[in-house]
Amino acid sequence: MSQQTTNSLELSQEEQYFLELVNRARLNPLEEASLYEIDLNEDLASGTISAEAKPPLAYNPKLLEAARDHSQWMLDTDTFSHTGIDDTQPWDRTENVGYTSSPIGENLAWRGTTSEIEEITNFVEASHEGLFLSSGHRVNLMSDEFQEVGIGVLTGEFTTDEREYPNSVMTTQKFGGGLDNDHVFITGVVYEDANETGFYDLGEGLADIEIEATSLDNDFQATTTSMSAGGYQLEVPSGEYEVTFSGTPLQAPITEVVTVEDSNVKVDAVIEHDEPEPNFPPVFDENEDEEDPIDEPDLPDIPLAVNSETIFNESLYLEQNPDVANAVEDGLFDSALDHFQEFGLGENRIPTDVLQNFDPTSYLSENSDVADAVEDEIFQSALDHYLSVGFQEGREGSNIPYDEAFYLNEHSDVLNAVESGDFGSGFEHFALFGLEENRASTQELLEF
């Protein structure tokens, strides 16, 4: 007997990513709680959520329809509430789309900014974190009574407390009890791990991969193809199955044998990314071929780094970014630093006085390899690259009068402090003290 599964409504990349975060948490609840530095049952009675792995949730198109409809209604009406259109409740909205299984659960989340949304991944991650940190929402996320889910992630304008957020991400999670225990799901995602994180990310999903689950106990076979964002699900009775993935760009079929009992099973197909990391070219002295080259100082043979949390100037950041000040005041972020670490670094927002003249456009224009690395998501932004390695390399286009090798060689006390671990780098010292102390940061400034 053969069964073909098709999907009338497909998850977007953002929705598939959110589903992967949810299933990551369900696979290892204690590890997820540790990631966010809370107890699994924080603000809950002891034992409310067990430490055991929870079955993965499978996507359901009817629940997705209900979730998207509610997210859109909240954006359209500037309302953030479980009571929806015509005073409907979560169970009403699932019944209205023809989903009759029970129990039903619902989580809501939103994030907004007055700036452009450059990385929606950050908004999805922040929404997931906020839901997991909330005890009531965490119970829904971890409930083993749920088998299916629809996650509606939509963007648009949203106004709350008379403040407008022209770029907002609204999320509704609809949880459902799903099928009976005689029929459950083999579910998962097919993706190419381009950024080599070992986890699905936006843009990595592979569409139209053929997936077959063939019973090793009888003649039952279920088939489907992966959706545009890479996800899939197959409804199957309990038993042992050989799951096979095939089709372009797979060089050969991927096969895995799984045992399905009374709950869903997750089987992912991952293509390892073989492309090497970019090799950033060294910065050459334009005088190196002359008979009397300039004797440039070398960087000391020690690891160098910039701790953005250490150099972060809270008052400057809030003054320069009134949208962040409003968001902190509204409780969307715990602090300005919280915003910078989640979004600001990726948006090239300046965290300290020393970087006031940093020009991300010129930096990427002058350094095509860095532009490629940002596009490939090796770095979040031009500023991320500069604070990671660019300050050491003397990159053109940064508009920052700073030379790491010169600074460390010119100021032996700073070099000693870096070697002893008091500072992560000369640049870190310069941002905290050197600028105010009028320390020369380049050979040109010393001669001036």
Side-chain angles (χ1 to χ4, degrees):
M1 180 179 65
S2 180
Q3 176 177 293
Q4 174 72 35
T5 299
T6 59
N7 298 292
S8 57
L9 196 63
E10 296 190 356
L11 294 168
S12 67
Q13 294 184 60
E14 296 82 12
E15 292 162 343
Q16 184 69 51
Y17 182 57
F18 217 137
L19 176 56
E20 294 309 304
L21 293 175
V22 170
N23 280 333
R24 181 189 71 185
R26 292 175 66 87
L27 177 65
N28 195 329
L30 285 178
E31 186 171 310
E32 197 77 1
S34 176
L35 174 65
Y36 298 123
E37 300 180 345
I38 63 168
D39 183 85
L40 181 59
N41 284 293
E42 189 156 322
D43 298 326
L44 295 168
S46 177
T48 300
I49 303 175
S50 69
E52 286 75 23
K54 310 297 183 290
L57 298 178
Y59 146 79
N60 180 280
K62 291 181 178 178
L63 291 177
L64 175 60
E65 180 182 356
R68 283 183 179 171
D69 286 349
H70 191 57
S71 290
Q72 189 62 62
W73 178 83
M74 288 192 291
L75 287 171
D76 290 343
T77 61
D78 294 322
T79 305
F80 187 68
S81 173
H82 289 287
T83 299
I85 186 171
D86 298 329
D87 294 326
T88 54
Q89 297 302 311
W91 50 88
D92 297 321
R93 292 189 286 275
T94 55
E95 289 182 2
N96 289 343
V97 296
Y99 188 88
T100 57
S101 298
S102 61
I104 294 296
E106 183 176 87
N107 283 346
L108 305 178
W110 84 274
R111 289 273 173 167
T113 180
T114 57
S115 303
E116 293 295 322
I117 298 177
E118 296 185 8
E119 288 289 344
I120 196 171
T121 301
N122 297 333
F123 284 75
V124 173
E125 290 172 350
S127 295
H128 172 70
E129 178 180 358
L131 290 172
F132 193 86
L133 291 175
S134 168
S135 58
H137 297 101
R138 194 184 325 131
V139 170
N140 276 343
L141 289 169
M142 295 292 102
S143 174
D144 54 13
E145 294 185 339
F146 297 135
Q147 187 168 299
E148 297 180 296
V149 70
I151 304 177
V153 180
L154 300 179
T155 59
E157 297 181 7
F158 189 71
T159 300
T160 180
D161 294 331
E162 299 183 351
R163 285 195 174 135
E164 295 183 1
Y165 295 89
N167 297 298
S168 297
V169 179
M170 188 68 71
T171 301
T172 301
Q173 296 176 334
K174 302 289 293 186
F175 302 94
L179 307 168
D180 57 46
N181 287 339
D182 292 332
H183 289 78
V184 290
F185 294 99
I186 297 175
T187 186
V189 65
V190 187
Y191 69 99
E192 180 178 8
D193 190 16
N195 56 8
E196 300 179 339
T197 62
F199 192 77
Y200 174 90
D201 207 345
L202 269 68
E204 293 184 339
L206 299 178
D208 300 324
I209 299 297
E210 297 180 6
I211 304 146
E212 293 182 353
T214 303
S215 174
L216 300 181
D217 305 317
N218 50 52
D219 63 350
F220 180 86
Q221 184 182 67
T223 62
T224 190
T225 56
S226 59
M227 293 178 284
S228 58
Y232 78 94
Q233 69 280 333
L234 291 165
E235 177 188 340
V236 298
S238 60
E240 190 172 17
Y241 291 88
E242 182 179 79
V243 183
T244 302
F245 302 84
S246 61
T248 306
L250 302 182
Q251 295 182 353
I254 298 174
T255 300
E256 185 169 343
V257 174
V258 297
T259 299
V260 178
E261 296 180 345
D262 58 356
S263 59
N264 298 342
V265 175
K266 194 173 196 297
V267 182
D268 296 337
V270 184
I271 299 177
E272 300 298 331
H273 191 65
D274 296 328
E275 183 177 338
E277 293 285 324
N279 182 21
F280 294 116
V283 178
F284 293 99
D285 184 344
E286 62 182 2
N287 299 307
E288 66 179 353
D289 293 329
E290 297 180 4
E291 293 183 1
D292 298 314
I294 298 174
D295 186 18
E296 294 286 353
D298 295 323
L299 285 170
D301 188 20
I302 53 176
L304 299 172
V306 176
N307 186 336
S308 59
E309 183 173 347
T310 301
I311 68 170
F312 187 76
N313 186 325
E314 180 106 358
S315 59
L316 173 72
Y317 196 77
L318 291 174
E319 180 183 345
Q320 290 190 336
N321 301 285
D323 60 317
V324 178
N326 291 336
V328 171
E329 184 178 338
D330 290 343
L332 296 177
F333 299 95
D334 292 336
S335 65
L337 178 61
D338 181 30
H339 177 277
F340 177 74
Q341 291 175 332
E342 287 191 22
F343 302 107
L345 181 61
E347 295 170 353
N348 291 304
R349 300 209 190 199
I350 302 304
T352 179
D353 305 69
V354 171
L355 293 167
Q356 289 277 36
N357 293 324
F358 183 78
D359 184 346
T361 302
S362 296
Y363 193 70
L364 295 180
S365 176
E366 294 287 340
N367 301 282
S368 59
D369 57 324
V370 178
D372 291 341
V374 171
E375 184 176 349
D376 292 340
E377 299 183 355
I378 297 170
F379 297 97
Q380 295 181 51
S381 62
L383 181 60
D384 182 24
H385 178 274
Y386 183 79
L387 290 176
S388 299
V389 293
F391 76 95
Q392 303 177 45
E393 299 173 337
R395 290 276 181 163
E396 296 293 333
S398 65
N399 295 338
I400 307 299
Y402 182 80
D403 182 326
E404 179 76 5
F406 169 83
Y407 193 75
L408 291 176
N409 283 277
E410 179 66 22
H411 307 293
S412 58
D413 58 325
V414 177
L415 177 59
N416 292 336
V418 171
E419 289 177 333
S420 64
D422 294 334
F423 298 95
S425 61
F427 185 81
E428 193 171 295
H429 175 276
F430 182 62
L432 290 170
F433 304 105
L435 180 64
E436 186 176 346
E437 295 170 355
N438 291 315
R439 296 214 188 201
S441 56
T442 67
Q443 180 69 37
E444 291 77 9
L445 290 177
L446 177 66
E447 293 172 350
F448 178 80

